[in-house]
Amino acid sequence: MSEIRVRFAPSPTGSLHLGGARTALFNWLFARNLGGNYVLRIEDTDRERSTAESEDQLIRSLRWLGLDWDEGPDCPGEHGPYRQSERMEIYRERAEDLLARGLAYRCFCSDEHLTAEREKAKVEKRDPVYDGRCAGIDPEEANRRAETEPHTLRFRMPQKDITIRDLVRGEVTFPAGMVGDFILLRKDGMPVYNFACAVDDGLMEISHVLRGEDHLSNSLRQVALYEAMNLPLPEFAHLSMILGEDRSKLSKRHGAVSVEAFREAGYPAEALLNALALLGWNPGDDRERMSLEEITEAFDIARVHKAAAVFDRDKLDWISGSWIRERSGEELQELARPHLPEEGERLPKILDVLKDRIHCFGDLPAEMESFRGDLPTPDEEAREWLKGAGDFLAALADALENREVDFKSLLKEVGKESGRKGKELFMPTRVALTGQTHGPDLGATAELLGRELVIERLRKARSHG
C-alpha cells in the first residue's frame, strides 16, 4: 500500500469535541505533509443517537477549522459510500463470507444470560470474556434455529498473540485469550463498531489509522478481522488522551470542550488549531505560535508523544491574543462581525485600539462599552479616583472646548497647572472617559470618542469629584 490514505471517522451523536478535533487535525496534517488523501467517513450505525443535525454540525465545525477532505459524503470518490448507514449490504456480504468459511458463527444467547456472565466476571474480578457456548452448535442446526430465533453473529477470535506496530507506542502485544469471540452483527442486523470499521478501512484502502489511545484495544479485534477477511493491514498511531489542568480526563466541568463552543466564544479557528497541534506534538524547536502552513510543513508523526497532553486554556488565550494582534482593524472587523454590537466607520479604528486587550472576539462587547453612548457605571475602585478631581476634570473640559490641540498634550498641560502627574493625572481622566481603571491608550480613546463626547463625560464625571 504505497499511497498515503488517512480518514477521520466521527459518529454524528453530538458536537465535535477537542479530542475529536485534535484527531481530525493530526490526520489532516499527516496527509497534507506527505501529499496523501484525507477521507471523511460518517460512522452513523448507532440508530438511537445518530442525527442529521449532529452530522451537519460536525461538518460545519470541520469546515470552520479549515480541515478540508478529498473524499466524503459531499465529495464522492471510488471508495464510497462514505456514510456507514449506506454500506449495510457491504457489511452483510462480508459477514456471510466469514460465516461460510467457519470464521464466524450464530449466537443465540439471551441478553439476560450475557448480563449474568458479565456480572459474574465482575464479582470474580476478571475481564468479561464470552464463554463460547454457541461456538460448537452445528452450522445446519444454527441455520434452522436462525429462521425463528433472534441471534447475533460472532467472530471466532484466533487463539494466538497479536502484535500491533504502533507509530507512537512501538510494538504492543496482546496475549491470546485476552478477548473472546465478539459480536459482528447485532440481532437487528446492524454491524458493531469494530466490524464496520475494519471493513471500511480495508475496502477504502486506508494506509494509516491515527486515533485516540482509547481505541488501542479495538485495534486488537480489528487486526484479527483484517487477517480473516484478507484485507490490507494499515499502520496504526494511537494518540494520547487530552487531560484538563487537574490531569483528569477533559470534560465539560473544565469549561468549553467542543469546537462549536470555542467558535461561539470568538476564538479564531487558526488559534484553536495552533493550540490543538501542540497537544501531544512539537515541531522540534521552541516555536509555539505557528500558522497552519508552518505546522503542516513541520508535522512529523515521530514527534507525537506517548504521554497524556494537558489542555492549557491560558496558552490558548495567549496564542489567540497573539493571532488577533497581528491583524489590522479592517481584517478584524470582518472576522469579529458575529460578536460586534454595532457597525460604523470608526469600528476598524476601535478594533485596532482594543486588539491588545482581548484574547477572543467574545471579549469585544464588554471592551467596546466605553465607546458607545452610555458610559458604564464606574465601580467603587474607579469612583475613588474621581474624588477630589472635580475641579481638574472641569478645567480639562474647558480647555478642550476652547483649544484645538492633541488630547494627551493638553492633558499634561492642565495636569501641570493642577499639580497632578502620574496616576493622579491619568486615572481620574480614564475613569471619567471610560468608567474603568484599565484600558487602551488615552489619546487613542479620546480620539475615538470624539471631542463632544469627551467634554460631556468629563463634565458629567465632575459631579463624582
Side-chain angles (χ1 to χ4, degrees), residues 432-445:
L433 297 187
T434 68
Q436 302 173 6
T437 55
H438 302 282
D441 178 79
L442 262 179
T445 299

Side-chain angles (χ1 to χ4, degrees), residues 334-399:
E334 184 61 33
L335 293 165
R337 192 175 299 279
H339 305 274
L340 295 173
E342 62 182 53
E343 296 285 348
E345 293 181 3
R346 63 181 184 152
L347 192 53
K349 290 184 178 180
I350 293 176
L351 295 174
D352 255 331
V353 169
L354 292 180
K355 66 184 181 182
D356 289 340
R357 295 180 49 75
I358 64 173
H359 60 254
C360 66
F361 298 129
D363 294 337
L364 282 172
E367 291 291 338
M368 290 180 67
E369 280 296 310
S370 58
F371 294 103
R372 306 177 77 183
D374 296 327
L375 182 69
T377 303
D379 60 21
E380 185 176 347
E381 178 190 1
R383 287 196 300 272
E384 284 294 317
W385 284 103
L386 296 178
K387 291 181 179 179
D391 292 341
F392 157 67
L393 295 173
L396 181 57
D398 291 341

Side-chain angles (χ1 to χ4, degrees), residues 17-59:
H17 57 77
L18 290 183
R22 198 266 307 259
T23 297
L25 173 60
F26 278 26
N27 276 280
W28 189 90
L29 292 169
F30 186 81
R32 297 297 179 249
N33 177 273
L34 298 174
N37 286 337
Y38 186 63
V39 177
L40 175 65
R41 184 173 74 226
I42 303 298
E43 299 192 338
D44 58 348
T45 56
D46 187 336
R47 287 175 171 173
E48 293 184 0
R49 298 174 60 219
S50 296
T51 66
E53 292 78 14
S54 290
E55 180 180 328
D56 290 343
Q57 188 175 84
L58 282 167
I59 289 176

Side-chain angles (χ1 to χ4, degrees), residues 36 69-70 72 87 104 148 165 186 224 229 234 259 297 301 368 450:
W69 46 91
D70 304 296
R87 298 173 63 83
T148 57
R165 292 170 178 81
R186 299 185 179 92
M229 293 186 289
V259 170
E297 184 178 350
I301 196 69
M368 290 180 67

Side-chain angles (χ1 to χ4, degrees), residues 120-325:
K120 181 179 178 182
K122 186 177 180 180
V123 170
E124 296 175 356
K125 297 182 178 180
R126 57 180 174 82
D127 292 332
V129 176
Y130 177 61
D131 59 14
R133 65 171 53 200
C134 290
I137 298 176
D138 180 78
E140 291 187 6
E141 179 187 347
N143 288 338
R144 285 195 301 272
R145 291 178 60 180
E147 293 179 3
T148 57
E149 295 183 41
H151 62 281
T152 61
L153 198 66
R154 284 187 182 270
F155 177 67
R156 293 185 191 274
M157 190 67 184
Q159 294 303 301
K160 65 176 184 178
D161 294 352
I162 291 180
T163 296
I164 297 171
R165 292 170 178 81
D166 193 283
L167 296 174
V168 174
R169 301 171 189 283
E171 286 195 354
V172 180
T173 298
F174 297 94
M178 180 176 174
V179 172
D181 296 349
F182 58 90
I183 293 173
L184 300 178
L185 298 182
R186 299 185 179 92
K187 290 179 181 179
D188 62 0
M190 293 294 286
V192 300
Y193 165 76
N194 282 302
F195 180 49
C197 184
V199 170
D200 291 345
D201 285 344
L203 297 183
M204 291 182 180
E205 300 182 3
I206 300 301
S207 65
H208 296 77
V209 173
L210 282 63
R211 58 188 176 189
E213 66 176 327
D214 52 327
H215 284 285
L216 188 57
S217 61
N218 288 328
S219 296
L220 161 63
R221 296 169 173 83
Q222 290 168 23
V223 167
L225 285 168
Y226 288 127
E227 294 176 350
M229 293 186 289
N230 298 312
L231 292 172
L233 189 67
E235 293 191 66
F236 292 94
H238 289 90
L239 312 174
S240 63
M241 298 294 288
I242 300 178
L243 307 179
E245 292 184 66
D246 60 357
R247 302 199 69 80
S248 64
K249 186 176 179 180
L250 192 66
S251 65
K252 289 183 179 179
R253 66 189 182 85
H254 294 104
V257 293
S258 72
V259 170
E260 192 68 19
F262 283 100
R263 179 183 184 179
E264 290 175 354
Y267 285 88
E270 293 84 349
L272 185 57
L273 285 171
N274 188 167
L276 287 174
L278 298 176
L279 291 175
W281 172 84
N282 70 74
D285 50 44
D286 59 359
R287 285 179 294 171
E288 290 191 317
R289 172 71 182 90
M290 302 174 68
S291 68
L292 184 57
E293 292 74 19
E294 290 171 327
I295 296 170
T296 304
E297 184 178 350
F299 189 79
D300 185 345
I301 196 69
R303 293 193 178 279
V304 174
H305 313 149
K306 287 190 289 186
V310 176
F311 177 64
D312 185 343
R313 184 64 172 264
D314 290 340
K315 178 178 283 189
L316 171 61
D317 286 348
W318 173 81
I319 290 172
S320 182
S322 173
W323 189 93
I324 288 172
R325 287 191 293 275

